[in-house]
Amino acid sequence: MNPDICRERENATFNTETLTNMLDGSAEKTRRRREIESLVINDPDFQHDDPNFMSRSERYDAAVKKSSQMIMKLRDYGISDPEEIYFYKRTARRTFHEAFGLHYTMFLPTLYSQCTPEQQKKWLPLAENFKALGTYAQTELGHGTHIRKLETTATYDPSTQEFVLNCPTVSSIKWWPGGLGKTSNHAIVLAQLYTLGKCHGLHAFIVPIRCMKTHQPLPGVTVGDIGPKFGFEEVDNGYLKLENVRIPRENMLMKYAQVEPDGSYLKPPSDKLTYGTMVFIRAMIVGESARALSKSCTIAIRYSAVRHQSELRPGEPEPQILDYQAQQYKLFPLLAAAYAFTFVGQYMSDTYHRITGHINQGDFSQLPELHALAAGLKAFTTWTANAGIEVCRMACGGHGYLCCSGLPDIYVTFTPTCTYEGENTVMMLQTARFLVKCYRQAREGQQLSGTVSYLNEQQRLQPQPVSSRPTVVNINDLASLVEAYKLRAAKLVEVAAKSLQGELQRSISQEDAWNNSSIELVRASDAHCHYVVVELFAAKLSEISDTAVHSVLNTLALLYALHGITLNSGDFLQLSQITQRIKALLVEIRPNAVALVDSFDYNDEMLNSVLGRYDGNVYESMFEWAKRSPLNRTEVRSFIIFNIIQKK
Ligand SMILES: CCCCCCCCCCCCCCCCCCCCCC(=O)SCCNC(=O)CCNC(=O)[C@H](O)C(C)(C)COP(=O)(O)OP(=O)(O)OC[C@H]1O[C@@H](n2cnc3c(N)ncnc32)[C@H](O)[C@@H]1OP(=O)(O)O
Ligand SMILES: Cc1cc2nc3c(=O)[nH]c(=O)nc-3n(C[C@H](O)[C@H](O)[C@H](O)COP(=O)(O)OP(=O)(O)OC[C@H]3O[C@@H](n4cnc5c(N)ncnc54)[C@H](O)[C@@H]3O)c2cc1C
């Protein structure tokens, strides 16, 4: 064990186990999570080669093998609780995606949420037993964001009681779905429904694409892999062209909208229910942001504790790079964000399950808020985490650029979360749409509840000009900082609403007014989400009874809130003390930095980083890793070089 890292742990002011238990929910939950993780870590079947030394095809094959092994083993162990399955899989996957990822994250959830009981009876046993291996095929070459314009059609033929599916143009070819290229034999296809000559918009259909016996593409189906990408090398994101593919009427997901045998159409209670799976994944991605950022911080902070570089004082030994204020300023606000997002992720998951419970009972009243919250927080947390991973990588200097640091893999695997499941700017604009609507309702005297209830105060604040509103009062008091964020959000929602109003007064169309105000609208959403994160972090503190843990998390929460103010200082009144206070907080956090990342409790196998190793023995491991590079298998690799040298 590296002596520096041992000393860091000895000097921590709190018990890491207590904090880990809190993050997991209880000591028992920590015990069970670790038990599940050790099933993977101690399993010789999961000691695969490092994917970085494999070709793309080898990576895909290994990912398929791993996915099928996971299915068998989960069955053998009798693990069926979704959360426990998730723990098992994320340990086995490590930083990467799994070959059957879309089957779990989108195909199955769509079947659970959008099938009638009869459809569930047919499809769930097939899907849960992996006979029907599925993906979610929505995006087309021409459209990913604006899904109302998708071109794939499903036309009902009452004479045979079938839908006929077609991708009529090049731009309508389905493009991107994970697991579509080579793995899946079924797809949930989103298509424009036509019945009795009328288009009823997007609906979801279960489409068999490959033979369940031979795995060959079915007649009318052209399907394949879209080629190498920025990351996701083990995933066969695919294309799909459907030409007169017939499926039975029962293959339309009919929990909400229905097509009767004679072709008559029954409307759903809300046409946005077809978008339900996207809301689910957006809600879950918030927690994924926390995990990607906490892993990156674990690597960068542990490494910064063992890396010595430069001189602080002449003649003295080189200090740990974690002692440089500039290094702390890069990493500790990210560490604080990782904790904040962990709590926000838990909140988002709870909120999703609570509101979907109401939706299942027929109460759709909270759907708009759920959509706005999931869209906004997905965008807010993925943007921050995405940028933060890169900061962590650069904070490791040159070694951060090596794949064995783990950071490049975390980055390329995480960065598409800013794009998939709703491009982030577009998601922020969806949240803004909700906020502006709420703002107008509040102005009309309606009492708002939930995360937007602060907009009720617009009325009270109305006579005051925006610039004279109170701002940060006490920079050491979290409640006061929450208030400052609340006022900033209220102010920026008002600015956006007024911009819209101003544009409309110039008698331009609603749509153009919206486009001309989109910078203000995105800023309003960003401010709203930032407020929600600070609020939830502060609320979490009130649940913590352990004094030492409370104290260190309070320091992190203050840093998160104050750092956010300095990044957006134009929106707050500038307070000269804030930078000084931030510097003091960095000093406070310094002795606990390693213990705070230890509390995330990532074991070495999951972290997969030579720089972030628990024992801090980074240099020995880097050398061992380098020796395994395929280029080192022979001393003379390229005979071209050899020939050149010989000619000289
Ligand atoms: C911890 C333990 C846990 C245990 C369990 C753990 C298990 C799981 C673990 C999971 C780990 C995670 C990792 C994931 C990795 C997976 C890889 C994923 C791969 C990626 C897959 C994909 O990438 S798959 C394609 C996604 N592709 C989009 O994402 C398209 C975006 N594009 C749109 O989504 C629409 O195009 C867009 C823009 C809204 C406009 O839609 P539009 O034109 O129809 O609507 P308008 O804008 O006109 O709005 C009209 C009104 O609809 C309202 N509204 C709109 N949407 C609504 C909605 N969803 N719900 C309610 N209301 C909605 C709106 O608010 C308006 O309301 P109002 O009128 O009242 O104002
Ligand atoms: C790794 C990966 C996996 C994926 N997996 C799947 C999958 O399994 N299934 C599936 O169906 N899809 C999948 N996708 C596709 C993904 O959902 C889309 O790429 C995503 O929804 C964004 O759509 P787009 O590509 O059309 O971007 P575009 O909408 O073309 O975005 C390009 C730019 O235009 C801007 N823009 C677009 N519309 C607006 C607007 N209204 N206002 C302001 N700015 C706007 C955006 O902000 C962005 O800057 C995947 C994508 C990736 C990268």
Side-chain angles (χ1 to χ4, degrees):
M1 189 73 76
N2 175 294
D4 285 321
I5 209 142
C6 290
R7 207 176 41 251
E8 294 295 332
R9 291 181 179 125
E10 280 156 18
N11 291 341
T13 63
F14 69 97
N15 183 327
T16 50
E17 187 65 13
T18 312
L19 181 48
T20 300
N21 294 164
M22 200 213 100
L23 294 175
D24 281 319
S26 68
E28 173 52 24
K29 285 196 164 180
T30 302
R31 188 202 62 74
R32 180 64 181 149
R33 174 181 56 74
R34 286 183 184 152
E35 186 174 54
I36 290 169
E37 287 169 0
S38 66
L39 292 176
V40 178
I41 291 163
N42 300 322
D43 187 336
D45 283 343
F46 287 129
Q47 312 304 316
H48 295 306
D49 288 340
D50 188 327
N52 285 301
F53 295 144
M54 295 180 188
S55 68
R56 176 153 187 252
S57 302
E58 287 167 342
R59 282 176 80 147
Y60 170 70
D61 292 341
V64 172
K65 187 172 166 203
K66 194 181 261 192
S67 275
S68 51
Q69 281 172 329
M70 285 195 284
I71 293 169
M72 306 295 193
K73 287 170 191 275
L74 282 164
R75 237 179 241 160
D76 291 350
Y77 293 128
I79 297 175
S80 57
D81 175 77
E83 197 179 38
E84 295 196 348
I85 293 176
Y86 175 75
F87 293 153
Y88 187 88
K89 284 164 159 258
R90 80 172 183 202
T91 316
R93 282 194 289 108
R94 298 194 283 183
T95 302
F96 306 101
H97 271 275
E98 69 166 299
F100 303 165
L102 261 283
H103 179 86
Y104 289 103
T105 54
M106 296 201 77
F107 185 70
L108 270 171
T110 309
L111 297 182
Y112 290 133
S113 63
Q114 297 192 35
C115 279
T116 61
E118 299 77 57
Q119 288 178 317
Q120 287 199 341
K121 224 179 196 171
K122 171 172 178 188
W123 289 105
L124 287 185
L126 288 172
E128 285 170 348
N129 291 309
F130 306 94
K131 294 198 166 34
L133 259 181
T135 182
Y136 183 85
Q138 179 175 289
T139 305
E140 297 174 356
L141 262 175
H143 292 96
T145 289
H146 190 37
I147 52 182
R148 269 189 287 142
K149 275 280 178 226
L150 292 179
E151 296 173 77
T152 300
T153 55
T155 308
Y156 186 63
D157 177 355
S159 68
T160 57
Q161 297 194 15
E162 288 172 319
F163 290 101
V164 188
L165 281 106
N166 274 295
C167 302
T169 57
V170 172
S171 55
S172 68
I173 294 172
K174 295 288 176 190
W175 197 270
W176 271 118
L180 172 65
K182 296 287 155 196
T183 312
S184 305
N185 56 21
H186 284 74
I188 304 270
V189 171
L190 275 283
Q192 304 288 353
L193 164 66
Y194 283 84
T195 177
L196 303 179
K198 205 170 161 225
C199 180
H200 294 279
L202 273 191
H203 287 73
F205 301 84
I206 305 177
V207 182
I209 53 171
R210 286 191 170 90
C211 171
M212 286 169 79
K213 286 199 183 95
T214 63
H215 207 64
Q216 290 293 330
L218 291 169
V221 172
T222 310
V223 64
D225 174 74
I226 60 172
K229 299 154 299 231
F230 190 46
F232 265 57
E233 292 308 307
E234 48 291 312
V235 181
D236 51 328
N237 293 85
Y239 60 80
L240 173 71
K241 185 164 166 50
L242 302 168
E243 284 168 292
N244 292 319
V245 172
R246 288 183 165 261
I247 56 168
R249 183 184 70 92
E250 294 77 19
N251 281 27
M252 172 174 143
L253 298 187
M254 294 219 214
K255 178 164 178 186
Y256 298 113
Q258 278 134 38
V259 170
E260 301 275 291
D262 67 357
S264 46
Y265 176 73
L266 302 178
K267 267 171 60 160
S270 157
D271 59 354
K272 298 306 169 208
L273 290 167
T274 318
Y275 297 178
T277 312
M278 291 187 279
V279 177
F280 166 66
I281 297 293
R282 285 170 198 155
M284 296 301 137
I285 285 174
V286 177
E288 293 301 300
S289 301
R291 276 179 279 280
L293 192 54
S294 57
K295 266 190 196 171
S296 306
C297 288
T298 303
I299 295 168
I301 289 176
R302 281 188 186 158
Y303 175 63
S304 299
V306 300
R307 176 77 165 176
H308 291 253
Q309 193 77 231
S310 308
E311 272 184 350
L312 251 178
R313 291 169 213 96
E316 287 191 7
E318 290 182 295
Q320 294 161 282
I321 57 174
L322 199 53
D323 282 336
Y324 291 110
Q325 186 182 68
Q327 185 80 349
Q328 296 170 12
Y329 190 65
K330 278 178 215 169
L331 295 178
F332 294 172
L334 293 173
L335 175 64
Y339 272 93
F341 293 175
T342 302
F343 304 134
V344 178
Q346 289 164 354
Y347 167 84
M348 199 58 246
S349 173
D350 292 348
T351 305
Y352 174 84
H353 288 108
R354 179 173 53 76
I355 298 182
T356 20
H358 298 165
I359 291 172
N360 290 337
Q361 305 296 316
D363 171 7
F364 302 100
S365 60
Q366 288 169 289
L367 180 61
E369 180 169 7
L370 175 64
H371 163 55
L373 205 56
L377 288 176
K378 178 264 188 195
F380 183 82
T381 59
T382 56
W383 263 334
T384 308
N386 185 60
I389 297 164
E390 187 59 356
V391 171
C392 289
R393 185 185 69 73
M394 287 191 275
C396 295
H399 297 335
Y401 193 66
L402 267 173
C403 283
C404 65
S405 75
L407 291 161
D409 285 332
I410 296 177
Y411 185 78
V412 294
T413 305
F414 185 77
T415 191
T417 58
C418 298
T419 307
Y420 66 50
E421 224 54 84
E423 198 283 325
N424 275 358
T425 304
V426 174
M427 291 298 99
M428 282 297 195
L429 288 169
Q430 284 290 310
T431 305
R433 188 174 165 129
F434 174 73
L435 292 173
V436 168
K437 216 170 178 179
C438 291
Y439 170 85
R440 289 181 182 147
Q441 287 167 350
R443 291 293 301 267
E444 286 159 11
Q446 278 188 47
Q447 204 52 26
L448 304 172
S449 58
T451 54
V452 286
S453 55
Y454 64 87
L455 292 173
N456 294 326
E457 296 172 38
Q458 292 289 341
Q459 293 286 54
R460 179 170 64 77
L461 296 167
Q462 221 19 248
Q464 267 179 306
V466 162
S467 56
S468 70
R469 284 183 198 164
T471 181
V472 181
V473 181
N474 180 352
I475 61 168
N476 294 311
D477 174 31
L478 212 44
S480 170
L481 291 166
V482 171
E483 193 61 20
Y485 272 89
K486 187 192 279 187
L487 288 174
R488 169 184 176 236
K491 180 175 100 179
L492 291 185
V493 172
E494 184 178 76
V495 168
K498 287 201 165 149
S499 165
L500 269 176
Q501 207 179 331
E503 292 289 337
L504 286 169
Q505 274 161 5
R506 297 198 296 121
S507 38
I508 60 170
S509 71
Q510 182 78 40
E511 293 73 19
D512 286 335
W514 183 263
N515 191 31
N516 292 350
S517 303
S518 44
I519 295 172
E520 289 84 352
L521 288 162
V522 171
R523 285 184 67 205
S525 289
D526 185 77
H528 171 73
C529 293
H530 213 152
Y531 152 68
V532 171
V533 174
V534 174
E535 227 270 334
L536 290 172
F537 202 163
K540 192 75 198 177
L541 287 176
S542 63
E543 295 171 16
I544 300 169
S545 51
D546 184 280
T547 329
V549 168
H550 187 282
S551 167
V552 72
L553 286 186
N554 188 59
T555 309
L556 283 182
L558 281 175
L559 179 64
Y560 180 77
L562 291 177
H563 184 255
I565 293 178
T566 60
L567 291 186
N568 303 281
S569 51
D571 300 340
F572 295 87
L573 268 192
Q574 280 277 25
L575 280 183
S576 56
Q577 316 100 294
I578 288 183
T579 310
Q580 288 312 317
R581 185 68 185 112
I582 284 181
K583 287 182 178 182
L585 290 170
L586 298 180
V587 174
E588 259 180 69
I589 292 167
R590 170 65 188 84
N592 283 320
V594 168
L596 279 164
V597 295
D598 284 349
S599 305
F600 289 130
D601 203 26
Y602 289 113
N603 52 56
D604 281 344
E605 283 74 6
M606 271 171 90
L607 207 52
N608 199 25
S609 164
V610 299
L611 301 189
R613 293 169 64 93
Y614 188 82
D615 64 10
N617 294 335
V618 299
Y619 301 131
E620 300 84 339
S621 328
M622 271 169 99
F623 190 40
E624 284 309 311
W625 190 82
K627 285 191 217 159
R628 286 164 48 212
S629 167
L631 284 180
N632 291 332
R633 276 188 202 142
T634 50
E635 288 299 339
V636 180
R637 170 79 191 178
S638 167
F639 286 96
I640 301 173
I641 297 175
F642 191 66
N643 290 339
I644 294 170
I645 298 167
Q646 292 296 309
K647 270 182 200 150
K648 269 191 180 172

